[in-house]
Amino acid sequence: MKNDYDILHRYGSTLKSSVFFWALIGMDPASASAADTASTHRAIRYHINTAAIPPKHTHPATTKHRHTEPHSADESMTVRVARTGSHGAVQAVSRETMDHFVAGTSPMQILALTTPGANFASDDAFGLDTVANTLYVRGFNQTQLGVSLDGIPMGGQGFHNWNGLGVDQMEIQENISGMQMSQGAGALDVPSAQTLGGAITFDTSDPLNKAGGQISQLFGSNNGFRTFARVDSGVLNSSGTKFYAAYARTAQDLWKGYGDQQEQQANFKLVQPVGEHGKITAIFDYSNFEQYNYLSLTKNMWQKMGRNTTYLKPNYALAKEYAAAAQAGTVPAGLEGILSTDEVGDYAYDGTQTQRNYLSAVTGEFRLFPNVTSKTIAYGHVSNGDYSATNPFLISPTSQVPMAMETGHPDVRRLGLVQNFDIHAGSKNDIKTGVWYENDRFNYPMYMYEDGVNYPHSSIADFKNGTEWWGDSFNTNTFQFYLQDTYHILREMTVTAGFRSMLQTTHGGTSVDNSASLSDWGVYYSHPASGSLTASSAFLPHFNFDYHFLNNHEFYFDIAENMRAYDYAAQSGSGTAWGGLGTSTNSAQAVFNANKNTLRPERTWNYVVGYRFNSHFFSGSADFYHTDYYNRLAAITAGSTGNTYSSFINVGRETMNGADVMGAIRPFKGLEITNSFSWNNATYESNNIPYGGTTISIKGKHQVYYPKFMYKANLTYTWHQASFNFNTTYTSARYMTYTNDEKIPAYWTSNLNASYNFGKIGFARNLKTTFGVTNLFNRNYIGGVYGAASVSGDDNANLFVAAPRQFFGSVSAQF
């Protein structure tokens, strides 16, 4: 018997106190007599005009170099970030690079296509499907990376997002001015409770000083249609007030099956300078993603039933036939020997998702003293939605149709505060410190809706008269403190040492369970469990050394310990301390209580050493990294033979070794050719893991879902107003089981984009046309993956087929 999660969602360092004291009053502790001179240098270095805040002083590995335009220049809608924006174990992607891709393409997809060690896959050309999207960075997935937007914590980036918001829903792509990915050991100043590996930070553009705007219109395959519009107010008064408002709508029919995917987004940003002291920024972001989903498949379903296999809608009669067969444990006529009885139950009539998000934040950035700047962020995030899928293992009581629609109605409310200080102690020390607090409330009620004899219930509307099966409620409080000091040994040599402390407590679980009174629906065990868990660590150190020498060379290394707090989600899910536990004879509550005494948060030690060379004609880099992964947690079938049950336990260690090598050559003006190669050997170290009443060993087996080899090539050529970009990626086979007996085949995929800027025509500036082709050679391959891996065998329907070749064209202009 499959649990309802499968049915619903597979478809779908230490610093002395004296240093800190002298830093606060702005003197070098080693030479107080030099205070006046140092203060003068700081005043020059951190001069502020009426429309700007003091430059952000970041870890040397995350500093960006920007080109600023004189006020009289013709303003552009984008922030131009220099090509050489990468430092240390951090890769920077500029707005200019993002403009080489199809308008609206997910920033995560662009990041992976342009950065070594990153792997992104999905089932749609834009990369917007949150169910299928899969991002990995050096072995860590999108729920194990720290993510922030203008300093606002964004939590995990996966589907069922209980602690954050995906980048595609938090900001319109055109309003992102740049992004940086720390491929090393993360970043102390990124507020995150799930960082085990690196961190991704997104920056948004500020309103322009001059009134104007931008519009663009895209058309594409499968009735693809995307509209973007932005209006900038320009500076409105003598105090420098300015704002922008932007809107985007993306729509496209599914490339297989019934339905479409529609996204609507709105961004608003207001900047109010406060004299010579700083500025206040306010944002409001809205998104509404309404999507018919693609069906997730087993490897066998993909190979035997074909690339276009998906939900059975609109063939309602066939859906009822499949559901009846699934409940009877049989296979429909003509499919004997092709599909297993389990795979018949993986089919369903329909699956959809609607996600609505509202994000607000007020940020104050001020120079408190000549050597001290403060950044305060107060934010609120509200999210709700409807996640629906036909469940072929339920019964609609009135019609007696052997299926019913399940809909989860998640409701998230996050409130938080981030406070950071940058302190410059003389000419040698740059100190950063700060705190983060967040309260997160998550509710997830699961309702059932009857399907009729001749017509099913709508999966995307009419949720008024459902029957509640069960409901979960969680409340989480997170506190984080960090302190780091960057010491300038020499002009081009720095050492950074610091630590962070983290405490997160989550209380909750099942708040409603009506299973006992719903036998006429054919309900089955619903895994109710409640209780609290706390993850804490007072000292998570981070150490970095960075040395620029001989003008073009850079050497660096990065070391950090990280910890990830416990996940939680709907009780019917697996892979969390509260979800998918026990059986009908061994209760989930009993298993949770037993697990609570033995569980420890996941931890990693990450080590990175790298070298980078950068000149006008050639840029190259090489990174070597090692990770020791402790307390790896996983859902396992535990217990003795004849009394097995689902549990969530520590399955031991993992060791990871890898390397990324990249080279870019610019033989003449306008042409850049980049090649990169990545190798990763991530292996489990566990013996005697309980499973199915016995024990198994996965020692030496490669990590699931992450490729061992990746190769990327990118060619960009710009001639006058024309631009051309071609990129191709090779992804080696990915193991899909812990015993490595099944794997997802390797694949190549390529994209082509070209554009021409006609300049100024009439009132329009930068009138630009763009043409793009995704999956240029129409490869048939498995893209995204959602859900837990099997221990062995092709048992889980959690694979998504990537979109075929698609064409897109757009026209944009500024005014």
Side-chain angles (χ1 to χ4, degrees):
M1 176 69 71
K2 298 176 181 295
N3 67 42
D4 50 334
Y5 173 82
D6 292 327
I7 295 162
L8 176 58
H9 299 299
R10 82 174 75 193
Y11 311 139
S13 149
T14 302
L15 301 173
K16 294 184 178 179
S17 59
S18 58
V19 174
F20 195 74
F21 169 76
W22 287 111
L24 284 173
I25 64 174
M27 293 187 180
D28 186 337
S31 178
S33 63
D36 290 343
T37 303
S39 179
T40 301
H41 286 306
R42 283 191 296 270
I44 295 173
R45 185 178 177 187
Y46 304 117
H47 171 72
I48 311 170
N49 62 35
T50 57
I53 183 68
K56 182 170 63 177
H57 308 293
T58 64
H59 184 294
T62 61
T63 303
K64 293 181 298 177
H65 298 288
R66 298 182 185 272
H67 293 310
T68 57
E69 304 285 347
H71 289 297
S72 59
D74 189 24
E75 290 190 28
S76 172
M77 182 61 65
T78 60
V79 174
R80 296 296 179 186
V81 182
R83 170 178 50 78
T84 57
S86 299
H87 289 264
V90 172
Q91 294 288 340
V93 178
S94 68
R95 179 69 249 176
E96 184 177 8
T97 298
M98 297 175 71
D99 286 338
H100 288 305
F101 294 84
V102 172
T105 298
S106 171
M108 294 296 194
Q109 184 161 298
I110 296 173
L111 199 65
L113 289 172
T114 57
T115 307
N119 172 255
F120 179 89
S122 186
D123 56 10
D124 71 292
F126 289 106
L128 300 179
D129 187 348
T130 56
V131 180
N133 287 0
T134 307
L135 174 73
Y136 276 88
V137 177
R138 292 182 176 175
F140 296 102
N141 67 38
Q142 65 261 43
T143 69
Q144 300 169 322
L145 304 171
V147 179
S148 69
L149 174 78
D150 291 340
I152 306 167
M154 286 296 126
Q157 297 294 288
F159 180 59
H160 259 327
N161 209 338
W162 49 267
N163 69 344
L165 181 60
V167 61
D168 302 304
Q169 298 174 57
M170 68 174 102
E171 194 72 22
I172 299 173
Q173 197 252 48
E174 284 88 342
N175 293 331
I176 296 175
S177 60
M179 48 186 169
Q180 304 81 44
M181 180 165 69
S182 166
Q183 297 170 290
L188 290 179
D189 58 345
V190 174
S192 168
Q194 72 273 349
T195 303
L196 282 177
I200 304 173
T201 58
F202 298 94
D203 298 315
T204 64
S205 60
D206 275 351
L208 300 179
N209 290 332
K210 183 180 179 180
Q214 180 180 353
I215 58 173
S216 71
Q217 181 63 60
L218 175 143
F219 300 94
S221 299
N222 303 107
N223 295 315
F225 186 90
R226 183 178 188 272
T227 302
F228 168 74
R230 168 170 157 165
V231 176
D232 283 75
S233 69
V235 176
L236 296 174
N237 50 44
S238 60
S239 69
T241 306
K242 56 183 179 179
F243 69 86
Y244 70 72
Y247 171 79
R249 178 181 178 270
T250 304
Q252 186 179 29
D253 291 343
L254 300 187
W255 59 268
K256 62 177 179 179
Y258 175 93
D260 61 1
Q261 297 184 330
Q262 297 191 40
E263 294 86 30
Q264 296 191 68
Q265 298 169 272
N267 295 163
F268 175 83
K269 187 173 186 178
L270 171 73
V271 174
Q272 176 60 63
V274 182
E276 297 287 328
H277 302 288
K279 67 177 181 180
I280 296 174
T281 303
I283 69 165
F284 175 75
D285 294 340
Y286 163 78
S287 64
N288 185 357
F289 278 32
E290 189 174 279
Q291 303 178 338
Y292 283 85
N293 293 327
Y294 294 99
L295 181 67
S296 54
L297 312 175
T298 65
K299 182 179 175 182
N300 178 67
M301 292 166 67
W302 169 52
Q303 293 175 330
K304 297 287 182 64
M305 302 299 288
R307 178 188 207 167
N308 292 327
T309 301
T310 189
Y311 285 99
L312 301 173
K313 189 174 184 174
N315 195 333
Y316 190 50
L318 185 62
K320 291 191 291 183
E321 179 185 342
Y322 271 60
Q327 294 190 19
T330 61
V331 177
L335 295 176
E336 299 89 345
I338 299 176
L339 295 180
S340 69
T341 54
D342 274 357
E343 288 172 326
V344 173
D346 292 327
Y347 280 86
Y349 178 73
D350 198 8
T352 64
Q353 59 172 309
T354 299
Q355 298 169 284
R356 294 172 289 269
N357 288 279
Y358 310 83
L359 174 67
S360 300
V362 177
T363 301
E365 300 176 76
F366 296 97
R367 176 162 56 91
L368 304 180
F369 304 101
N371 67 314
V372 180
T373 60
S374 168
K375 183 175 182 177
T376 306
I377 307 171
Y379 64 91
H381 170 216
V382 175
S383 177
N384 56 65
D386 309 299
Y387 300 156
S388 300
T390 305
N391 186 335
F393 291 95
L394 293 177
I395 299 171
S396 293
T398 303
S399 65
Q400 288 299 295
V401 170
M403 59 187 190
M405 192 185 74
E406 270 187 355
T407 302
H409 300 285
D411 174 34
V412 179
R413 187 218 60 189
R414 294 191 303 140
L415 297 173
L417 179 73
V418 180
Q419 174 62 61
N420 293 320
F421 294 99
D422 286 7
I423 307 164
H424 305 280
S427 59
K428 292 290 187 180
N429 296 81
D430 290 334
I431 297 171
K432 294 167 64 69
T433 186
V435 295
W436 166 48
Y437 170 75
E438 179 179 284
N439 176 260
D440 182 1
R441 186 196 67 196
F442 173 78
N443 295 311
Y444 195 101
M446 177 63 73
Y447 280 76
M448 299 179 293
Y449 301 86
E450 286 203 56
D451 285 329
V453 174
N454 299 312
Y455 300 99
H457 190 284
S458 170
S459 64
I460 212 159
D462 189 16
F463 299 118
K464 296 179 180 179
N465 299 308
T467 298
E468 186 172 12
W469 183 357
W470 48 262
D472 293 339
S473 296
F474 293 89
N475 193 281
T476 299
N477 288 288
T478 304
F479 176 82
Q480 180 176 290
F481 166 80
Y482 81 94
L483 174 66
Q484 71 176 36
D485 179 24
T486 299
Y487 179 71
H488 299 263
I489 304 172
L490 300 171
R491 179 188 175 111
E492 299 294 340
M493 181 186 294
T494 61
V495 59
T496 299
F499 72 96
R500 68 186 177 107
S501 302
M502 187 177 75
L503 172 67
Q504 184 180 95
T505 298
T506 297
H507 177 79
T510 304
S511 55
V512 175
D513 182 15
N514 294 322
S515 299
S517 62
L518 298 173
S519 59
D520 55 340
W521 287 83
V523 299
Y524 36 86
Y525 184 60
S526 56
H527 309 276
S530 296
S532 64
L533 284 174
T534 296
S536 66
S537 180
F539 189 73
L540 296 168
H542 188 178
F543 183 84
N544 173 272
F545 175 81
D546 193 278
Y547 179 35
H548 295 259
F549 60 99
L550 300 178
N551 294 325
N552 298 325
H553 303 265
E554 180 186 8
F555 169 78
Y556 51 89
F557 61 84
D558 213 51
I559 303 172
E561 181 184 15
N562 290 316
M563 182 188 77
R564 183 171 187 261
Y566 298 108
D567 275 351
Y568 56 88
Q571 58 159 287
S572 54
S574 61
T576 79
W578 286 266
L581 304 177
T583 64
S584 56
T585 57
N586 190 4
S587 76
Q589 189 65 57
V591 177
F592 176 87
N593 294 341
N595 287 350
K596 183 176 179 177
N597 297 324
T598 59
L599 288 180
R600 298 293 182 271
E602 295 178 318
R603 288 177 178 258
T604 58
W605 273 97
N606 297 294
Y607 310 85
V608 181
V609 58
Y611 165 80
R612 180 178 288 112
F613 174 84
N614 190 40
S615 71
H616 180 72
F617 296 102
F618 175 77
S619 297
S621 65
D623 275 14
F624 300 89
Y625 58 92
H626 172 84
T627 295
D628 290 317
Y629 197 144
Y630 301 91
N631 300 329
R632 190 176 182 97
L633 302 177
I636 289 292
T637 305
S640 59
T641 302
N643 187 31
T644 61
Y645 58 90
S646 298
S647 185
F648 186 67
I649 65 172
N650 181 352
V651 295
R653 291 184 52 193
E654 180 182 341
T655 300
M656 188 187 311
N657 293 290
D660 293 324
V661 180
M662 181 173 67
I665 186 172
R666 293 169 285 276
F668 53 84
K669 182 179 179 181
L671 177 64
E672 180 173 273
I673 303 171
T674 303
N675 287 269
S676 70
F677 177 79
S678 300
W679 165 74
N680 177 284
N681 186 35
T683 57
Y684 303 113
E685 303 293 331
S686 302
N687 283 311
N688 302 320
I689 295 176
Y691 180 71
T694 182
T695 60
I696 61 170
S697 172
I698 58 173
K699 185 177 179 61
K701 302 300 183 181
H702 196 271
Q703 178 180 309
V704 296
Y705 298 149
Y706 191 68
K708 194 169 186 177
F709 303 104
M710 287 187 291
Y711 167 75
K712 300 174 185 179
N714 195 303
L715 184 153
T716 300
Y717 179 58
T718 301
W719 183 75
H720 297 295
Q721 301 298 101
S723 178
F724 171 88
N725 175 261
F726 171 79
N727 62 77
T728 189
T729 300
Y730 170 75
T731 303
S732 70
R734 294 165 286 171
Y735 289 108
M736 52 188 282
T737 66
Y738 287 101
T739 57
N740 289 180
D741 64 333
E742 290 282 354
K743 57 187 177 182
I744 303 167
Y747 66 90
W748 284 88
T749 187
S750 305
N751 303 287
L752 177 67
N753 295 276
S755 66
Y756 188 85
N757 192 326
F758 291 92
K760 191 175 188 303
I761 298 179
F763 68 90
R765 297 181 293 108
N766 293 322
L767 181 62
K768 182 179 177 181
T769 60
T770 303
F771 175 74
V773 186
T774 59
N775 194 358
L776 181 63
F777 301 108
N778 200 27
R779 300 295 188 186
N780 178 8
Y781 65 93
I782 295 297
V785 180
Y786 179 79
S790 298
V791 171
S792 64
D794 181 24
D795 186 51
N796 284 359
N798 54 7
L799 310 179
F800 290 88
V801 183
R805 178 170 53 225
Q806 295 188 330
F807 301 89
F808 299 94
S810 66
V811 178
S812 64
Q814 299 172 11
F815 56 89

